[in-house]
């Protein structure tokens, strides 16, 4: 097997590892949270959103520490585009996606605000995100989550549900662990995190090797292939949530993950190592801004994303991918 083939195989297996690890992590965390009496609302707003973004956290943090700032930032921006255009757009092809107006008014504005803050930071500082800016991003995220929980508690009619499928059958695993119930799920959570950690490291390493061998820039690989790989948990949760009738969860998971990606992941990555990107970031930022605005407007205007609108988002992104990888 050639070196290039080996790297492609490692890349594919790493994506599988990211999916498995994130599912174990999210499912175990949800079980633990439920056992402690934490509401479905809080689980959905925190554990699920953060859990499905674990691959992005690990990949971007690993890339930042390794000095690949372009992959760290491209992964986040590309993941957000993938989440909005391909995941939500794809879900709407299965069925129209209705949403509560209050969710779009609140989280839609938060998404546009987070996109604007990151975009202005990169543009005004010549493609650099320093540690102080990373800290500011995390403070903004903390303020958003605090306001979000306070708002939801004030409007008890609004609910957030976590889809019951496709959870990994944890009982089959825990039956083999000779520990108390809580400790069993704690072990699974830790195993899930370690699987994601190792898979993320190899994903970055393989992506850099593939980009070098194919003479494709690290930025393009990061915003397309790597971003798609790290977005597999959001894809699984959103599609299953939609098919199970939990449309609000599908939309909330995507919007919550996008906001967390921009403020949380870039914040952590920049604190670990200041991020520096090239001119390619401008084009991706522009496209992300356009997709974000179009998605919020589409959902805001009709309280739903139609199949026709979803087809436009999916088609546009598929064409963009082809142009980016071929160019």
């Amino acid at each position: 097997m050639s070196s290039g083939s080996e790297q492609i195989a490692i890349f594919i297996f790493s994506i599988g590892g990211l999916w498995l690890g994130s599912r174990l992590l999210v499912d175990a965390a949800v079980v633990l949270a439920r056992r402690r009496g934490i509401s479905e609302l809080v689980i959905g707003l925190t554990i699920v959103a953060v859990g499905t973004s674990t691959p992005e956290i690990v990949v971007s943090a690993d890339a930042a520490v390794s000095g690949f700032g372009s992959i760290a930032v491209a992964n986040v921006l590309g993941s957000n585009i993938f989440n909005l255009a391909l995941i939500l757009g794809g879900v709407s092809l299965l069925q129209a996606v209705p949403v509560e107006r209050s969710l779009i008014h609140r989280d839609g504005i938060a998404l546009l605000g987070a996109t604007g803050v990151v975009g202005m930071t990169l543009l005004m500082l010549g493609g650099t995100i320093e540690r102080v800016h990373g800290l500011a991003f995390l403070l903004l995220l903390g303020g958003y989550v605090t306001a979000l929980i306070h708002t939801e508690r004030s409007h008890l009619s609004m609910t957030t549900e976590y889809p019951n499928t496709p959870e990994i059958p944890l009982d089959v695993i825990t039956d083999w662990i000779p520990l108390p119930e809580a400790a069993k799920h704690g072990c699974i959570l830790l195993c899930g995190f370690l699987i994601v950690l190792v898979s993320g490291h190899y994903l970055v390493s393989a992506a850099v090797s593939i980009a070098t061998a194919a003479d494709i820039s690290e930025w393009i690989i990061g915003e397309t292939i790597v971003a798609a790989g790290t977005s597999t948990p959001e894809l699984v949760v959103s599609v299953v949530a939609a098919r199970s009738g939990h449309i609000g969860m599908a939309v909330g998971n995507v919007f919550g993950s996008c906001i967390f990606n921009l403020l949380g992941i870039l914040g952590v990555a920049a604190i670990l190592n200041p991020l520096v990107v090239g001119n390619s970031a401008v084009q991706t930022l522009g496209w992300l801004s356009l997709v974000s605005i179009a998605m919020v407007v589409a959902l805001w205007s009709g309280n739903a994303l139609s199949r026709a609108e979803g087809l436009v988002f999916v088609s546009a992104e598929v064409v963009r991918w082809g142009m980016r990888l071929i160019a």
Side-chain angles (χ1 to χ4, degrees), residues 137-168:
F137 290 172
L138 292 179
L139 291 176
L140 286 174
L141 178 63
Y144 165 72
V145 172
T146 301
L148 187 62
I149 293 175
H150 175 74
T151 301
E152 292 289 355
R153 285 177 176 174
S154 302
H155 298 78
L156 298 179
S157 61
M158 295 182 64
T159 59
T160 299
E161 300 182 44
Y162 181 78
N164 292 322
T165 56
E167 292 183 357
I168 293 173

Side-chain angles (χ1 to χ4, degrees), residues 1-10 206 209-210 213:
M1 179 182 290
S2 67
S3 177
S5 299
E6 289 177 356
Q7 293 303 319
I8 292 174
I10 291 173
S209 297
I210 293 170

Side-chain angles (χ1 to χ4, degrees), residues 33-82:
R34 284 173 175 167
R35 288 181 180 275
R36 297 185 65 86
I38 299 176
S39 69
E40 294 283 338
L41 169 63
V42 176
I43 292 172
L45 293 175
T46 56
I47 296 172
V48 176
V50 175
T52 55
S53 290
T54 304
E56 285 95 334
I57 301 172
V58 172
V59 168
S60 289
D62 187 89
V65 172
S66 302
F68 300 116
S70 290
I71 287 183
V73 178
N75 174 46
V76 167
L77 301 185
S79 291
N80 278 19
I81 296 171
F82 187 91

